[in-house]
Amino acid sequence: MTIDQKTLTLFLDPLDGLFFRDGRPFGAGNAANSGLPMPQTLAGALRSHLMSRLGCDFAGLGKALRGGADLKTALSNQSAELAAIADLRLSGPWLFRSDSGAEPHGVVFPVPAVLHREKTDRGDGPLHLLRPLKDPPPGWDQTAAAPTKKALWIKTNHPTEAVTGFLSGAGMADVLNGRVPDKASLVSAMDLYDTDRRVGLVIGTDTNAAEDGQLHTAGFLCLAPGVRFVAQVAGLTPALRRVLEDAPVLGWGGERRQAQVSVEDAPIPGRPAPPDLADADGACLILTTPAPLANGWHGANWTPVAAAVPAPVAVSGWDLARNQPKPTRFAAAAGSVFFFDGEAPESLANDVCDGEDRRLGYGCVLRGVWRHA
């Protein structure tokens, strides 16, 4: 079967509040709020939806996977159409703001960790970019405490703090070109989504009835009007695309809450293009999705000369086919920035993960440039 490697755009519109949470226990007396979806939740929902519509034998699939087969082989034993699902390569998801009256429009990305703001009482101080120093400061030694060749610096006498929230495509384009973005390009999380808290009953596993006095609270993710999720997919065969067009509603996240998916040929609006490296001191890579990396904060075969990496995020989940939890790993958060002398390694041009992690959507990057502080 011919696999179409053309990259298509997926828009996802939740039909109700969605629920995405980490691996911490959740039960009676607990409160859990949804976070934003990890890449594997979208990849898993899309794969499961396509498999179901194409008549996958899930019991047989689980048996093959528990026997040591990889997903491609296990699906190939059933049909060529199902086998094509294993070749899908997802990127994202990201939040997307449609033209609904609020500015700015287009895709929004987690704020890069190099963007700082001077501390003020009103929280509206000037913005600055952390940049690598040309020469190391006194006492800088490339050890475990300072593992990079260059220190990141802001030339200001005022204390600063990292900016949180999201950045528009235009603002990200400024950062990728080594410029401080306009404040108007910053988007608060409150302008994109809210939490709908609901109280529920605990259902006994043996009785399938409500347990006396056992309640829990769950906070569901609700997008603001005009806000959608957007992702990219490569390897979608004509047959798989027809499945999505004929059955566009899929279950996504906890409780398999419903979302409607639409496929478009046009690229994601507002996604910035890589800048020219000609007049810069080096290239940088900005993570737009989390990345489980071999050495925690960087990959196995590459070492940046400087990096801004926030606290890691836990990556886990439940393996439905094998009926067991997935191992917990820690990933560099979206918004992490890696600086390189000259060009970044060619293998990292579009992503910093490979294999199954990359197919799931982890490690997506944007390429930019930097100049010495």
Side-chain angles (χ1 to χ4, degrees), residues 240-253:
L240 295 180
R241 180 169 183 170
R242 281 195 299 272
V243 171
L244 291 180
E245 292 173 342
D246 293 341
V249 177
L250 53 78
W252 190 15

Side-chain angles (χ1 to χ4, degrees), residues 70-264:
D70 58 30
L71 182 62
K72 175 80 172 181
T73 301
L75 290 174
S76 297
N77 293 333
Q78 297 193 33
S79 74
E81 279 189 334
L82 284 169
I85 296 173
D87 292 317
L88 295 179
R89 178 166 164 160
L90 273 291
S91 299
W94 302 284
L95 289 165
F96 183 90
R97 214 177 199 184
S98 301
D99 187 358
S100 59
E103 295 281 354
H105 305 144
V107 64
V108 294
F109 300 98
V111 169
V114 292
L115 186 60
H116 277 226
R117 172 188 279 125
E118 290 184 15
K119 292 183 178 181
T120 63
D121 292 338
R122 295 185 298 178
D124 59 351
L127 299 178
H128 298 273
L129 284 181
L130 286 166
R131 308 173 194 266
L133 276 175
K134 186 173 184 180
D135 299 312
W140 187 267
D141 184 22
Q142 193 174 354
T143 64
T148 59
K149 294 180 180 180
K150 296 180 182 292
L152 293 178
W153 210 260
I154 294 176
K155 292 186 176 179
T156 177
N157 294 325
H158 301 282
T160 67
E161 58 187 351
V163 177
T164 58
F166 298 85
L167 193 61
S168 72
M172 182 64 83
D174 283 332
V175 175
L176 295 174
N177 281 279
R179 300 188 298 263
V180 176
D182 190 278
K183 290 182 182 179
S185 64
L186 293 172
V187 183
S188 169
M190 295 185 296
D191 294 331
L192 299 173
Y193 56 84
D194 200 355
T195 300
D196 179 16
R197 292 178 175 83
R198 305 176 188 178
V199 178
L201 299 172
V202 175
I203 305 299
T205 55
D206 297 327
T207 64
N208 201 31
E211 298 283 347
D212 290 340
Q214 301 292 303
L215 301 175
H216 64 82
T217 303
F220 292 84
L221 180 71
C222 295
L223 299 186
V227 178
R228 322 166 72 182
F229 285 106
V230 67
Q232 292 178 315
V233 60
L236 197 68
T237 65
L240 295 180
R241 180 169 183 170
R242 281 195 299 272
V243 171
L244 291 180
E245 292 173 342
D246 293 341
V249 177
L250 53 78
W252 190 15
E255 302 183 10
R256 293 186 58 79
R257 295 275 170 151
Q258 302 294 290
Q260 182 169 311
V261 59
S262 56
V263 185
E264 297 189 7

